[in-house]
């Protein structure tokens, strides 16, 4: 459909320019529809001038341009630029009273913030979509919106709740999403499978691995069904086979996990997904590392690097470098691990992902600690603490890792710093501090506590316990006990901390 009517007869210079502008916008839209992202970006400067030019006279057209450019930057991992463009587009949609445009733009903003690790901002955006959706459904005249739109929004919101450790909210949100999908009967069956998958991931975060396993198996069974609404779905089958592998990994059943990941790898090869092949190479490498076969683990991580390098996927390359570093650490090659972690750090710095950078700094600190480079380790963790404080994320955990990675050096002043950090957060008693830290592992059995202690809020979709997460709760609890024995607490269960 033409964006505006063509001119006819004698034309002024303004009319000729207007016609030229229309053709430019039509070309931009055509390239965007065809997913020709690089070509769209080549037109960005011209398109932005047109968006400014039409922002008053034709705000809907200006908003469309911002949407096209914002979506293109999102797809090409230019999240910061996408946010700027979508904020501009949102203002235009709000001024024009376009509720549908507002919802789609808010959802994309939430996705950008989540990709950058700004989970709290993402949650606000996704909740805003849910809030104005009521107005959209009440409108007698509204533009079409996908029937599964709110399910997609709720799924993203639930994942963000998981990212910030609000697992019960995540579970409730995914249950609500599943209920919406179930109401669509046959057309919603695939969405039910995906909701079961998301629920399984949320339950796994609370340590309820058997419940998670059941949900992943349900998702896999649904994905094998046959109907005219997208089933069977080999991709969903493959993912849930992989999720079962991750649960087996979390339970310490590394050989069983290897069998699951090998099945998932076969599926990835069958559907021709190089990206998933790289993903399962990474997970297999983590399993073999835990099983003690370090040479095979490192070889698999290097194979994964080759795959993602060929795909030019910078984000995945960074993640695999991190897993390679963990495998090198496990084999005792701390110097090479540090080099791999430094390679990893370039990726989150490029895209402005502070959450990812914080995780890597923690891992670097661990490597320096293992080599006895305590001053360098503390410097890494202090930088990690600064980032976490700026993001208002998990300050207790990061501060704990900052000093407790070096707790084995018998320097009680390090424990004293932990006490200071807890005081800053309003924890004034030894028992209160233990209670606060114990919350992190309250839902897990004794054998799972150490695993659950690695509770960094920016967990990726890779097996846990791979060196990317700080041993927060366990280290802090030990330090508090040591600090008490050294006289940094009055005697008595409920005595005040003092310095």
């Amino acid at each position: 459909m033409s964006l505006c009517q063509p001119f006819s007869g004698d034309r002024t210079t303004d009319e000729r320019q207007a016609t030229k502008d229309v053709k430019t916008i039509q070309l931009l839209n055509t390239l965007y529809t065809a997913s020709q992202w690089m070509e769209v970006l080549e037109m960005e400067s011209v398109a932005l001038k047109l968006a400014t030019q039409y922002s008053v006279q034709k705000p809907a057209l200006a908003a469309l341009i911002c949407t096209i450019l914002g979506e293109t930057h999102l797809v090409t991992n230019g999240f910061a630029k996408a946010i700027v463009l979508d904020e501009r587009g949102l203002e235009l949609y709000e001024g024009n009273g376009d509720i549908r445009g507002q919802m789609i733009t808010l959802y994309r903003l939430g996705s950008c913030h989540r990709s950058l690790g700004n989970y709290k901002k993402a949650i606000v955006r996704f909740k805003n979509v849910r809030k104005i959706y009521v107005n959209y459904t009440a409108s007698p005249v509204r533009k079409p919106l996908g029937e599964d739109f709110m399910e997609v929004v709720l799924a993203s919101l639930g994942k963000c709740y998981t990212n910030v450790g609000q697992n019960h909210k995540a579970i409730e949100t995914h249950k609500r999403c599943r209920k919406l999908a179930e109401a669509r009967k046959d057309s919603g069956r695939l969405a039910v499978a995906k909701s079961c998958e998301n629920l399984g991931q949320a339950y796994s975060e609370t340590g309820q691995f058997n419940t998670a396993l059941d949900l992943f198996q349900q998702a896999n069974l649904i994905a094998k069904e046959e109907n005219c609404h997208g089933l069977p779905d080999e991709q969903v089958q493959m993912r849930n086979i992989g999720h079962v592998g991750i649960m087996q990994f979390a339970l310490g059943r590394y050989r069983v996990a290897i069998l699951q990941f090998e099945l998932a790898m076969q599926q990835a090869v069958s559907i021709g997904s190089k990206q998933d092949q790289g993903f399962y190479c990474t997970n297999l490498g983590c399993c073999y590392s835990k099983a003690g076969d370090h040479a095979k683990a490192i070889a698999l991580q290097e194979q994964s690097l080759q795959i993602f390098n060929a795909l030019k996927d910078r984000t995945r390359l960074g993640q695999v470098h991190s897993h390679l570093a963990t495998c090198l650490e496990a084999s005792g090659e701390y110097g090479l691990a540090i080099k791999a972690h430094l390679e990893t750090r370039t990726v989150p710095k490029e895209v402005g992902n502070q959450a990812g950078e914080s995780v890597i700094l923690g891992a670097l600190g661990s490597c320096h600690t293992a080599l006895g480079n305590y001053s360098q380790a503390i410097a890494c963790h202090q930088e990690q603490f600064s980032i976490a404080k700026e993001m208002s994320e998990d300050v207790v955990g990061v501060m704990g890792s900052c000093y407790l990675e070096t707790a084995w050096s018998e320097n009680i002043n390090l424990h004293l710093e932990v006490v200071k950090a807890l005081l800053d957060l309003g924890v004034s008693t030894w028992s209160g501090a233990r209670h606060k830290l114990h919350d992190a592992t309250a839902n897990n059995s004794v054998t799972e506590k150490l695993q659950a202690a690695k509770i960094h809020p920016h967990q990726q979709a890779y097996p846990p316990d791979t060196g990317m997460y700080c041993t927060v709760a366990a280290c802090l609890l030990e330090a508090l006990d040591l600090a008490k024995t050294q006289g940094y607490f009055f005697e008595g269960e409920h005595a005040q901390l003092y310095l």
Side-chain angles (χ1 to χ4, degrees), residues 295-449:
K296 190 162 188 176
I298 291 167
L300 281 161
Q301 301 296 3
E302 289 174 341
Q303 184 180 341
S304 184
L305 281 176
Q306 290 176 2
I307 291 171
F308 289 120
N309 193 46
L311 293 172
K312 297 182 180 179
D313 188 331
R314 291 286 294 152
T315 301
R316 290 291 189 188
L317 275 171
Q319 292 168 348
V320 179
H321 269 298
S322 183
H323 288 292
L324 173 60
T326 301
C327 292
L328 289 165
E329 285 179 52
S331 68
E333 296 285 353
Y334 296 108
L336 291 175
I338 288 172
K339 183 179 178 181
H341 281 312
L342 290 172
E343 285 278 349
T344 307
R345 191 181 178 187
T346 61
V347 177
K349 283 182 78 71
E350 279 178 12
V351 300
N353 186 341
Q354 289 183 304
E357 194 174 357
S358 174
V359 173
I360 295 160
L361 283 164
L364 274 169
S366 299
C367 288
H368 282 299
T369 298
L371 291 172
N373 303 330
Y374 297 122
S375 59
Q376 288 172 277
I378 290 175
C380 286
H381 289 306
Q382 283 175 330
E383 189 174 354
Q384 183 190 22
F385 173 62
S386 297
I387 292 173
K389 193 170 183 180
E390 184 179 336
M391 297 179 67
S392 301
E393 301 275 9
D394 195 28
V395 176
V396 175
V398 176
M399 194 64 182
S401 68
C402 176
Y403 293 97
L404 291 166
E405 287 288 353
T406 60
W408 318 114
S409 65
E410 299 182 2
N411 184 348
I412 196 60
N413 288 329
L414 301 178
H415 301 303
L416 185 59
E417 293 291 349
V418 175
V419 175
K420 287 179 182 177
L422 291 166
L423 280 172
D424 289 343
L425 290 157
V427 179
S428 60
T429 67
W430 176 78
S431 60
R434 284 193 64 86
H435 177 74
K436 187 175 184 68
L437 295 169
H438 186 265
D439 284 346
T441 55
N443 295 319
N444 298 279
S445 68
V446 174
T447 57
E448 293 167 354
K449 277 187 178 179

Side-chain angles (χ1 to χ4, degrees), residues 474-492:
C475 286
L476 281 170
L477 286 168
E478 180 176 347
L480 285 168
D481 291 344
L482 287 171
K484 183 182 180 185
T485 63
Q486 295 294 325
Y488 287 101
F489 298 83
F490 285 117
E491 294 299 322

Side-chain angles (χ1 to χ4, degrees), residues 65 215 256 299 429 436:
I65 294 170
L215 285 159
V256 179
T429 67
K436 187 175 184 68

Side-chain angles (χ1 to χ4, degrees), residues 21 24 36 43 61 76 90 105 120 177 187 191 196 220 236 239 307 313 336 347 386 440 466 488:
D21 291 346
T24 300
Q36 301 293 320
M43 296 182 65
L61 192 56
T76 56
L90 182 61
T105 306
K120 292 180 180 179
C177 182
S187 67
C196 286
N220 191 27
V236 175
R239 282 205 311 269
I307 291 171
D313 188 331
L336 291 175
V347 177
S386 297
T466 55
Y488 287 101

